[in-house]
Amino acid sequence: MMTDREPMPGTVLLSAQDIAAIVARLGGEISRDYEGRLPILISLLKGGVVFLADLIRQITIPHHIEFLQVSSYGGSTTSSGQVKILTDLEMSIQGRDIIVVEDVVDTGTTLAYIMEVLRLRNPASLEMCALLRKRSANPVAIPVRYLGQEIPGRFVVGYGLDYRENFRHLPFIAALEPDPAAS
Ligand code: IMP
Ligand code: MG
């Protein structure tokens, strides 16, 4: 359906309090599982930075952080299926324990590509942590070891997630309304 109305954050799916509880749980799980090791958390720019910043303050064991920027969506709200590395990691991950920190898994195309690229660099281990996973129609199978919450297959913004670079600063996660991807 065509509309003249500019899409805006509408229904709140996760409040700031909901997110804090999820992040605390994930931080606890990672702290327990990686006790005695020195994992590298790789945040995917830009959407993953707010999540990473909160997550590392809920992790009680020593760890390092790195950033990776890939592009798949451009200005669109549906996955283009094409991924490319825009900014690469600074450090070597060979022999290291890696946790990729992603904001939302939609089709899984982005994470599948990143896992493939990182695996070729011979880390000791490679796991995924995602705040959100959509119940997508045709997802690529991605084993997300640390999952925050499943959400409906709607376009969401806030807590790092953007619509055309807007709304990343919102402390909650809301559905964009009207949904620009809906037909
Ligand atoms: P996928 O490759 O289809 O799994 O898409 C994953 C990437 O698309 C995420 O890293 C996000 O940056 C972006 N993305 C997917 N869904 C949304 C959304 O609802 N809001 C904002 N960004 C999204
Ligand atoms: Mg994005």
Side-chain angles (χ1 to χ4, degrees):
M1 184 186 73
M2 293 297 287
T3 174
D4 294 322
R5 199 150 72 77
E6 191 62 24
M8 293 293 288
T11 308
V12 174
L13 301 184
L14 293 173
S15 69
Q17 289 84 349
D18 294 335
I19 296 168
I22 290 168
V23 174
R25 171 175 61 80
L26 295 173
E29 290 174 14
I30 290 170
S31 302
R32 272 192 305 278
D33 292 354
Y34 288 84
E35 177 88 61
R37 291 145 83 187
L38 184 63
I40 304 176
L41 276 71
I42 299 180
S43 171
L44 304 185
L45 296 171
K46 301 174 199 170
V49 292
V50 178
F51 178 34
L52 181 84
D54 283 346
L55 181 64
I56 62 176
R57 285 175 288 176
Q58 298 295 329
I59 295 178
T60 53
I61 57 155
H63 60 276
H64 294 161
I65 64 170
E66 271 286 315
F67 296 94
L68 186 64
Q69 183 166 22
V70 299
S71 167
S72 65
Y73 277 36
S76 161
T77 51
T78 52
S79 186
S80 64
Q82 292 182 343
V83 186
K84 87 183 169 195
I85 293 181
L86 301 178
T87 308
D88 208 339
L89 304 175
E90 198 171 69
M91 48 176 110
S92 166
I93 61 166
Q94 183 161 2
R96 300 291 303 268
D97 293 309
I98 303 303
I99 306 170
V100 176
V101 178
E102 170 71 307
D103 48 11
V104 54
V105 181
D106 183 3
T107 62
T109 309
T110 308
L111 269 187
Y113 172 80
I114 287 167
M115 298 296 276
E116 200 178 296
V117 166
L118 296 181
R119 216 181 288 284
L120 291 172
R121 300 182 186 184
N122 298 314
S125 66
L126 185 55
E127 299 290 355
M128 311 295 342
C129 173
L131 180 65
L132 308 171
R133 182 167 61 194
K134 292 189 193 177
R135 300 184 193 103
S136 301
N138 190 19
V140 177
I142 295 288
V144 179
R145 173 81 177 271
Y146 304 100
L147 178 63
Q149 186 156 317
E150 291 234 311
I151 59 165
R154 303 171 68 179
F155 198 83
V156 294
V157 294
Y159 199 71
L161 292 155
D162 73 302
Y163 171 62
R164 297 183 175 168
E165 297 302 325
N166 293 317
F167 312 123
R168 293 191 196 275
H169 65 289
L170 299 174
F172 50 83
I173 290 169
L176 197 65
E177 292 166 5
D179 188 337
S183 50

